[in-house]
Amino acid sequence: MTEFLQQLINGLAFGSILALIALGYTMVYGILRFINFAHGDVFMLGAFAGFYLAPKIARVLPTPSIGSGLAVLFAAMLICAAIGVVIERFAYRPLRGRPKLTVLITAIGVSLFLEYTGQFVFGAAPKSFPRLIPDYPIAHVGGLSVTSDQIIVLSVTGLLLVALRFIVLKTKIGMAMRALSFNPEAAALMGVNTDIVISFTFALGSALAAAAGILFAINYPAIDPLMGILPGLKAFVAAVLGGIGNLPGAVLGGLIIGVTEAFVSGYISSTYRDAIAFGVLILILLVKPSGLLGKKEVEKV
Amino acid sequence: MTSPSENPLLQTERVTIRFGGLTAVSGLDLQIGRNELIGLIGPNGAGKTTVFNLITGVYQPTEGTILFDGQSITGCKAYRITARGIARTFQNIRLFSSLTVFDNVRTAFHLHLQGDVRHALWRGRAFWAEEKAIATQVLELLEIFHLEKFRAAPAKSLSYGDQRRLEIVRALAARPRLLLLDEPAAGMNSSEKTDLMRLIQFIKGKFQISVLLVEHDMQVVMGICERIAVLDYGVKIAEGRPDEVRRNPKVIEAYLGEERTHDA
Amino acid sequence: MTFKHAKLLLLAALLLSLLISLFAGRINSYVLFVLYAIGINIILAVSLNLINGYTGQFSLGHAGFMAVGGYTAAVITNQFGDLNAFAAGALFFGALLAGGLLAAVTGLLVGLPTLRLRGDYLAIVTLGFGEIIRVIFQNMNAVGAARGLSVMHGYTNFFWTFGTAAVTVYVVTALVHSTYGRGFIAVRDDEVAAEAMGINTTKYKVTAFVVGAFFAGMAGGLYAHSIQFLTPSGFNFMQSIAIVVMVILGGMGNTPGVIIAAILLTLLPEGLRWLAGIPSLPGIAKAYPFAWVGNTRMIIYSLLLIGLMLTRPQGLFTWKRRPILPA
């Protein structure tokens, strides 16, 4: 039982990081119908932004402390939001309306560019991420070990999800996003500025990925330029699992993948962990291709 | 001739399809006789193209059966139905855009190939003989429709009217017994429409096939169809000779209703 | 292109590669190694072109098929000691075929469940399959798991490499240049219309996957017996992407262009290295022509890819689509 709860908590912590990345995939897919392959690398950039910002912020704010942790988090989110907008503006926007595969290949190109430029600029060797938030001792209940970092991951994710929900449901730009994903032509006719909404979507998704990057680095404090590949792919699977284009689905999918991985590595073998997500992906596409919460689309002939 | 012969080529029995809560076609009974030219009309969104998609296996009916030449084709895959002898064109032209005019027609001959992959790989005498025979037939078809001069041109480079005709040629190359034409007159001017009417009647006579025509243009439908079925909201509201249908109050109401909403 | 004298051309290519093979002893071993890499990449790119180019599917898992073929062939030849030239040739041929066939079976297994997927979805799922194959090898102790597998015999030679490449080019071209094979392009252009013309699109897609996987498996066997050491990470999805890039650079569905791209992209890292003045000793250079590692080159490579998509998505070597005239 203790083991079970332990794996569940580990799984939820990693799953909520995947959920944050998955949201970016699903939002972009909902509006542009394409897989932003480079999204996982924005997650990596978020972690590196935190790595380089932490010493600067430490000069102003006492570190480690909750204040400095939050400052690094927000700064990294802002930086990555800008990077996301730039990527969309220069790599994807010129290709709008072109065949899907052209855009996908471009996205792969952007992904490789970020990874290898990362290796060039940051160095290929893993770096250890500084401690931003003190490790508060938490009572060990009956052999169960929950770190304060895990609590932070869960609570920050929770707060970000509430904020996202507010933006998407209650603000004007959120409404425009939903309109665009529902019917792009109609939205454009109704005066929605497509370019701005798409830029905003990229900013929002990239900011969430950056937050995920920081949270990941807090929990698993070794970062390297290729760290985004696997979590990126897994998060994409999470988005598909939940039903791509569906925001609650992405969160649900992320948590399911995270928990499944934790159980497989805890009970079976950790070497198979990385194949889990893909196994889940193939299974879901065989059984329910539209995902858990997705709607079935009928092709028009 | 208000009803087709005893032995219809195609018969749909209580065919219904629902998409979620929407019933697009409801309890449709339709018979198409041998060598008959029948029109299917109805206001926008009446379910005409859905009927096409049901007959050709793009959609599977929720209820009901479809018989072709006395045998059920309900639930069959689209390519099997084509092999049985039903070919179609599309409302929004769907040619193989990167293939030439010649190759577009050639692909449809695929159904009548004797040889398979092994022939294509071995490229022996039988292979070349068959390819040559196919090429001859393709060119014959193209000549009939005056498209042979474009045979080496990419399909997408043709004019709109020629693309529509090429789609008909491609469908005929599958050697159907029933040809389904989905709004062939769309986007044509009146002289092109006259040509098209002549062409459809010519096809019917030359190839001895039945034709089901979905068309918006009353001039075309009333001009050539022997019998017309009218759909409104997925339900067949009338059926009969063109003059009968034209006077049918239900039909008039369905169309007037549509015009009223258009004016609004 | 009527492809009329194809069989003669194939025979000529086989004889020529046999002839060169007999004089291979006079060629510098590093040059020979790069030549093998070129041949293997041609096989990989041309076979992927059948799936991605002609049939319009998007597979990002070619390295997985290559891994299946490579490991299979290596395990088979490792069972034997030193053999005379004839027996070794027969054994190697059998091992390559076995690797190809097992890869083809894998292709069937991948192809069947993924057929209803299109475009980018399909790409990610095939990528996933490729990664699953890699993780399986990583956990398979019989083939050395993550430590890798030594391949005892360096059987790969000029004849096997370019003979297989010639057969690959022949098969893909012969398939496409026939009434039967026009179906592949029809599936790419419009699936619904292809079905309406009586084409069993499922069968065509599976055929493309199986044939493509078969040759990728053969390429894997050749790779294994050239490099003589296999690690699961050598077959990761970066390798798949490298093959995809060859197809894209050459132009999807343009076999001659894809061949040129495979040659160029194999030589490019060698050239960059030569420019940088790094000595190319065969011992150190092994694995090199295959793997795109190293930062600056990869940055150039990725920018090339983005630039290509923005300016010439149809590929570098597709000037205009030649209408294919009747035979």
Side-chain angles (χ1 to χ4, degrees):
Chain A
M1 192 61 201
T2 316
E3 170 75 5
F4 179 85
L5 283 176
Q6 183 67 58
Q7 296 303 347
L8 185 68
I9 290 164
N10 295 349
L12 286 176
F14 183 55
S16 50
I17 289 169
L18 290 185
L20 288 176
I21 311 173
L23 283 167
Y25 276 113
T26 228
M27 284 192 290
V28 167
Y29 196 93
I31 289 177
L32 290 175
R33 309 268 165 224
F34 101 95
I35 300 169
N36 178 14
F37 211 86
H39 192 58
D41 302 300
V42 176
F43 158 86
M44 173 274 289
L45 290 177
F48 273 94
F51 177 83
Y52 288 105
L53 283 171
K56 307 231 158 34
I57 286 177
R59 276 188 239 146
V60 192
L61 291 167
T63 307
S65 73
I66 289 188
S68 73
L70 287 178
V72 169
L73 182 76
F74 286 127
M77 285 172 75
L78 276 178
I79 290 172
C80 284
I83 292 174
V85 170
V86 169
I87 292 174
E88 192 276 327
R89 177 66 193 79
F90 290 101
Y92 303 149
R93 189 173 298 178
L95 292 172
R96 220 176 275 164
R98 297 267 200 95
K100 265 185 180 182
L101 290 181
T102 307
V103 190
L104 178 69
I105 295 157
T106 310
I108 291 175
V110 172
S111 167
L112 295 179
F113 176 74
L114 295 179
E115 283 157 21
Y116 290 97
T117 310
Q119 287 201 339
F120 187 71
V121 177
F122 311 138
K127 292 190 161 41
S128 89
F129 196 76
R131 181 151 276 288
L132 298 176
I133 295 176
D135 189 11
Y136 295 105
I138 300 234
H140 287 219
V141 188
L144 197 64
S145 100
V146 182
T147 64
S148 62
D149 292 338
Q150 285 175 328
I151 303 278
I152 287 165
V153 169
L154 291 173
S155 44
V156 170
T157 304
L159 288 174
L160 288 173
L161 291 183
V162 172
L164 179 70
R165 197 184 143 79
F166 176 79
I167 292 173
V168 172
L169 292 182
K170 304 282 177 202
T171 64
K172 215 172 158 184
I173 187 107
M175 205 117 72
M177 278 170 68
R178 284 185 292 145
L180 206 57
S181 81
F182 192 69
N183 187 339
E185 287 86 25
L189 285 176
M190 299 310 287
V192 171
N193 184 332
T194 317
D195 284 344
I196 288 182
V197 177
I198 290 174
S199 290
F200 181 77
T201 308
F202 269 85
L204 201 58
S206 304
L208 290 174
I214 301 282
L215 294 176
F216 184 88
I218 287 175
N219 243 356
Y220 314 89
I223 60 171
D224 71 89
L226 302 184
M227 68 184 274
I229 299 176
L230 268 182
L233 287 172
K234 288 173 187 173
F236 170 74
V237 174
V240 174
L241 175 62
I244 195 137
N246 182 306
L247 300 187
V251 177
L252 180 69
L255 294 179
I256 291 176
I257 301 260
V259 171
T260 314
E261 269 200 7
F263 280 121
V264 168
S265 38
Y267 287 103
I268 302 167
S269 156
S270 64
T271 47
Y272 273 104
R273 196 183 58 204
D274 290 340
I276 293 301
F278 296 113
V280 169
L281 176 67
I282 289 154
L283 205 68
I284 188 79
L285 289 169
L286 285 178
V287 182
K288 199 171 182 300
S290 49
L292 293 176
L293 306 182
K295 288 191 300 276
K296 204 181 160 193
E297 280 186 31
V298 181
E299 197 192 357
K300 276 210 97 148
V301 176
Chain B
M1 193 170 70
T2 43
S3 73
S5 53
E6 311 278 281
N7 178 16
L9 182 61
L10 184 99
Q11 184 167 15
T12 71
E13 289 172 350
R14 315 279 323 141
V15 166
T16 299
I17 184 168
R18 291 187 198 96
F19 297 109
L22 177 83
T23 307
V25 172
S26 170
L28 179 72
D29 288 313
L30 187 71
Q31 294 197 334
I32 302 173
R34 283 160 207 270
N35 201 20
E36 191 185 20
L37 206 173
I38 168 169
L40 183 63
I41 62 169
N44 268 328
K48 302 178 300 275
T49 297
T50 309
V51 171
F52 263 38
N53 287 335
L54 284 165
I55 295 175
T56 53
V58 176
Y59 298 152
Q60 308 300 338
T62 319
E63 284 160 31
T65 51
I66 304 171
L67 300 173
F68 183 66
D69 206 6
Q71 287 180 314
S72 171
I73 52 167
T74 328
C76 278
K77 295 221 171 178
Y79 73 91
R80 287 200 188 281
I81 291 175
T82 312
R84 293 271 189 97
I86 302 180
R88 71 176 288 182
T89 64
F90 294 90
Q91 193 176 326
N92 47 339
I93 304 173
R94 282 175 168 251
L95 287 167
F96 303 124
S97 58
S98 68
L99 289 177
T100 60
V101 168
F102 178 90
D103 274 341
N104 262 278
V105 181
R106 176 148 80 127
T107 45
F109 274 91
H110 154 97
L111 272 175
H112 314 292
L113 276 181
Q114 304 294 313
D116 56 8
V117 199
R118 281 165 297 177
H119 277 72
L121 287 181
W122 180 246
R123 300 182 104 69
R125 208 164 282 171
F127 170 79
W128 289 114
E130 193 171 23
E131 292 287 313
K132 212 175 156 191
I134 288 173
T136 315
Q137 293 175 59
V138 171
L139 290 177
E140 271 172 23
L141 268 178
L142 287 176
E143 270 169 33
I144 293 175
F145 295 89
H146 310 296
L147 287 167
E148 78 280 4
K149 53 184 172 294
F150 303 122
R151 63 193 175 110
K156 62 182 165 193
S157 70
L158 295 190
S159 73
Y160 188 75
D162 284 342
Q163 289 196 24
R164 284 230 174 264
R165 278 194 294 150
L166 179 58
E167 254 209 331
I168 298 175
V169 179
R170 186 179 66 174
L172 285 172
R175 294 189 204 146
R177 282 180 288 162
L178 171 62
L179 177 65
L180 278 58
L181 300 175
D182 199 349
E183 296 204 17
M188 286 187 173
N189 63 35
S190 69
S191 89
E192 282 173 325
K193 278 177 193 165
T194 317
D195 288 347
L196 178 79
M197 284 160 69
R198 244 181 259 138
L199 183 77
I200 294 173
Q201 275 173 324
F202 165 76
I203 290 168
K204 190 197 147 206
K206 162 111 183 155
F207 297 93
Q208 287 295 306
I209 56 177
S210 308
V211 178
L212 174 62
L213 177 70
V214 160
E215 188 47 71
H216 242 52
D217 190 280
M218 286 304 144
Q219 179 205 343
V220 173
V221 180
M222 295 292 169
I224 58 172
C225 290
E226 293 148 19
R227 199 156 57 85
I228 291 172
V230 188
L231 276 186
D232 192 23
Y233 292 109
V235 180
K236 188 171 84 181
I237 55 166
E239 189 174 356
R241 285 196 311 273
D243 52 322
E244 290 170 357
V245 165
R246 205 194 309 247
R247 277 173 312 191
N248 188 316
K250 279 191 193 165
V251 177
I252 294 168
E253 200 200 311
Y255 273 92
L256 281 182
E258 193 195 28
E259 266 166 38
R260 227 173 272 140
T261 50
H262 271 296
D263 295 340
Chain C
M1 183 157 70
T2 60
F3 207 59
K4 199 135 204 176
H5 306 292
K7 269 194 286 185
L8 277 179
L9 280 174
L10 175 64
L11 202 66
L14 289 176
L15 282 176
L16 185 67
S17 38
L18 186 64
L19 203 67
I20 296 177
S21 198
L22 294 177
F23 295 98
R26 302 191 179 183
I27 304 172
N28 170 307
S29 65
Y30 166 72
V31 172
L32 213 50
F33 187 73
V34 175
L35 284 176
Y36 297 162
I38 287 177
I40 290 166
N41 280 335
I42 289 175
I43 301 169
L44 289 167
V46 170
S47 60
L48 184 68
N49 192 30
L50 178 66
I51 305 174
N52 288 17
Y54 289 114
T55 321
Q57 306 301 295
F58 197 93
S59 171
L60 260 180
H62 225 48
F65 302 136
M66 190 186 167
V68 172
Y71 273 102
T72 308
V75 168
I76 292 173
T77 59
N78 271 358
Q79 308 303 314
F80 296 86
D82 287 328
L83 300 168
N84 66 46
F86 186 75
L91 170 68
F92 188 44
F93 183 57
L96 286 180
L97 270 187
L101 287 175
L102 209 61
V105 172
T106 317
L108 187 68
L109 293 178
V110 174
L112 282 177
T114 53
L115 284 170
R116 49 175 134 172
L117 307 173
R118 302 214 175 119
D120 41 11
Y121 251 114
L122 179 67
I124 297 285
V125 171
T126 49
L127 188 160
F129 265 111
E131 287 293 286
I132 289 176
I133 293 171
R134 186 179 61 79
V135 171
I136 290 173
F137 281 118
Q138 212 149 5
N139 284 281
M140 213 185 261
N141 267 316
V143 294
R147 298 179 306 278
L149 176 71
S150 287
V151 185
M152 282 153 55
H153 308 284
Y155 283 148
T156 297
N157 64 19
F158 199 90
F159 170 69
W160 291 118
T161 310
F162 284 88
T164 311
V167 171
T168 312
V169 173
Y170 173 85
V171 167
V172 170
T173 318
L175 270 184
V176 176
H177 285 267
S178 66
T179 299
Y180 170 86
R182 280 293 177 260
F184 289 106
I185 302 174
V187 170
R188 174 187 73 189
D189 280 0
D190 191 325
E191 259 186 61
V192 174
E195 283 266 331
M197 288 301 109
I199 289 167
N200 182 348
T201 53
T202 309
K203 203 172 128 202
Y204 270 91
K205 287 195 237 170
V206 174
T207 306
F209 258 100
V210 168
V211 173
F214 175 80
F215 286 111
M218 296 272 284
L222 290 163
Y223 166 79
H225 293 82
S226 165
I227 199 164
Q228 290 192 265
F229 189 73
L230 295 179
T231 54
S233 56
F235 300 105
N236 63 11
F237 82 96
M238 286 302 301
Q239 175 65 29
S240 294
I241 288 177
I243 308 167
V244 169
V245 171
M246 289 173 195
V247 174
I248 292 161
L249 192 73
M252 302 252 233
N254 170 9
T255 303
V258 166
I259 295 172
I260 300 174
I263 297 171
L264 284 184
L265 285 180
T266 316
L267 290 177
L268 188 65
E270 294 308 300
L272 286 171
R273 223 149 57 100
W274 178 78
L275 282 178
I278 306 165
S280 316
L281 295 170
I284 310 166
K286 284 223 164 181
Y288 211 72
F290 301 103
W292 280 88
V293 282
N295 309 328
T296 32
R297 268 190 312 280
M298 279 306 298
I299 297 174
I300 297 171
Y301 185 66
S302 58
L303 285 174
L304 200 87
L305 195 58
I306 301 170
L308 194 68
M309 283 300 107
L310 290 172
T311 54
R312 280 189 76 83
Q314 75 274 37
L316 271 190
F317 307 112
T318 306
W319 284 275
K320 91 178 207 266
R321 208 173 272 286
R322 288 162 291 128
I324 301 150
L325 286 165

